[in-house]
Amino acid sequence: MEKPRRNLMQKDTEAVGSPFSLALAMVLSLLFWLILGPYFITVLGHFNIPYLKANAPFLAMALGIVVSWKLLLTTSPQSLITDHSTFRLTLLFKSMGAYLLVAMLFLLLGLMVEPEAYSTSDASFLEHLMLLPLVLVLTPIQTSSEEVVFRVFPIRVVQGGRLRRGAMRNVLACVLSAILFTAPHLSNRELGSAENPTLVLVFYALFGGLVTALSIATGGFEPALAIHAANNLFVALICNYQGSSLPSLPIFTTTKAIGTPMDLLQLIIGLLMVFLVVRKDIMAQHHMQK
């Protein structure tokens, strides 16, 4: 007799990995980040490229993820990232585009309202061109590594495998994400130079909690990977601010204060825009789980 096929949209715990192995993978990746990260900074610092030096610890974290995958996990990267049978590139690019659109609109608003707060880079076109490949390679590695360690691993543990397992688990997942995304940023320069450090912490917490809610609703972490990459690529290439933790050669540099209500407004509108563009995916996920 033919066995009933398992719904490819809903993988079980075994397909993703046991909570214990996922937790160990998270710990091992963190150890690589904390122990090998400073060594990577020293070695790569010899190239005298600030953006490379700032991202060096995340290369160590990425290495830790690869090692933990080989030693502890039997699942494929795709199975860990999404509950769907394929990685949804369309969802990823829709989420990235929506978030970037809002960031660009807020930048244009700032240029119109406070043009004196923005300056263009003194770097040559060649310098921008030489840094561009490095940014396009390093930024997704950095953001994806953070997403896997601080969101994907812990949320898979809490959810017990598949995403969206019940209201209480979802709330716990979002609160845990808010805490895990805030904690590593406590040493960031932004807190020391912020107009209101509390609002910076709220920004990190909202980024952690709300993006996890979006991911659970769509049945995968494609939106989380996209939003985080879009945010950091925008900072690295389009508009950065003085004293940034990610020194780069963007088109614009702003002296506007950080840690303001406007920062929170931009984040909320950006995530709302992502929600609007992916609502069909959320509805499809909802119907699949009925």
Side-chain angles (χ1 to χ4, degrees):
M1 180 181 294
E2 185 181 359
K3 295 181 180 179
R5 295 180 181 178
R6 186 178 62 185
N7 189 340
L8 290 177
M9 299 287 281
Q10 297 180 334
K11 297 179 174 66
D12 55 21
T13 303
E14 288 72 26
V16 177
S18 72
F20 182 69
S21 64
L22 290 168
L24 281 181
M26 178 182 176
V27 171
L28 182 58
S29 302
L30 284 171
L31 289 175
F32 268 72
W33 179 49
L34 294 171
I35 297 173
L36 289 183
Y39 175 73
F40 275 44
I41 291 176
T42 302
V43 172
L44 297 178
H46 293 305
F47 290 96
N48 199 28
I49 304 175
Y51 198 77
L52 176 60
K53 186 176 180 180
N55 283 279
F58 299 99
L59 294 176
M61 180 184 284
L63 178 61
I65 293 171
V66 173
V67 170
S68 65
W69 229 304
K70 295 291 185 181
L71 296 180
L72 300 168
L73 303 178
T74 57
T75 183
S76 67
Q78 176 185 297
S79 297
L80 191 65
I81 297 300
T82 181
D83 284 359
H84 292 244
S85 56
T86 58
F87 184 87
R88 295 165 293 174
L89 279 174
T90 302
L91 177 60
L92 182 133
F93 286 124
K94 284 195 301 186
S95 302
M96 182 177 288
Y99 193 84
L100 280 174
L101 175 62
V102 172
M104 290 298 298
L105 290 175
F106 269 79
L107 172 60
L108 290 174
L109 178 63
L111 289 169
M112 288 187 293
V113 175
E114 296 180 80
E116 70 281 358
Y118 295 86
S119 60
T120 54
S121 173
D122 294 328
S124 67
F125 176 75
L126 182 60
E127 288 176 301
H128 282 281
L129 197 61
M130 290 177 63
L131 186 62
L132 180 61
L134 195 63
V135 171
L136 293 178
V137 170
L138 284 181
T139 304
I141 292 175
Q142 178 249 316
T143 57
S144 297
S145 297
E146 278 195 75
E147 285 297 324
V148 169
V149 173
F150 295 114
R151 196 187 311 273
V152 179
F153 281 155
I155 298 314
R156 287 293 188 189
V157 171
V158 169
Q159 295 278 342
R162 291 185 290 111
L163 299 175
R164 206 165 190 174
R165 294 292 295 270
M168 286 304 296
R169 287 196 182 194
N170 291 346
V171 170
L172 178 59
C174 293
V175 171
L176 180 61
S177 284
I179 294 171
L180 290 177
F181 261 84
T182 303
H185 293 93
L186 291 177
S187 60
N188 275 17
R189 299 174 186 174
E190 286 80 357
L191 276 176
S193 59
E195 181 177 274
N196 188 335
T198 302
L199 289 184
V200 176
L201 295 178
V202 172
F203 182 98
Y204 292 139
L206 287 177
F207 189 91
L210 294 180
V211 174
T212 290
L214 267 172
S215 298
I216 293 173
T218 59
F221 293 98
E222 293 97 335
L225 294 174
I227 292 167
H228 202 157
N231 183 82
N232 287 26
L233 283 171
F234 180 85
V235 169
L237 297 175
I238 308 299
C239 185
N240 207 340
Y241 42 88
Q242 291 184 342
S244 170
S245 297
L246 287 173
S248 60
L249 294 176
I251 298 173
F252 298 101
T253 300
T254 180
T255 57
K256 289 178 64 176
I258 58 174
T260 65
M262 187 63 72
D263 294 333
L264 295 183
L265 180 63
Q266 179 177 336
L267 175 65
I268 292 169
I269 293 178
L271 295 182
L272 178 60
M273 181 65 74
V274 175
F275 171 78
L276 292 175
V277 224
V278 305
R279 64 189 184 281
K280 289 184 179 179
D281 300 272
I282 293 174
M283 292 300 296
Q285 178 70 13
H286 177 73
H287 289 311
M288 286 300 302
Q289 292 179 334
K290 283 187 175 180

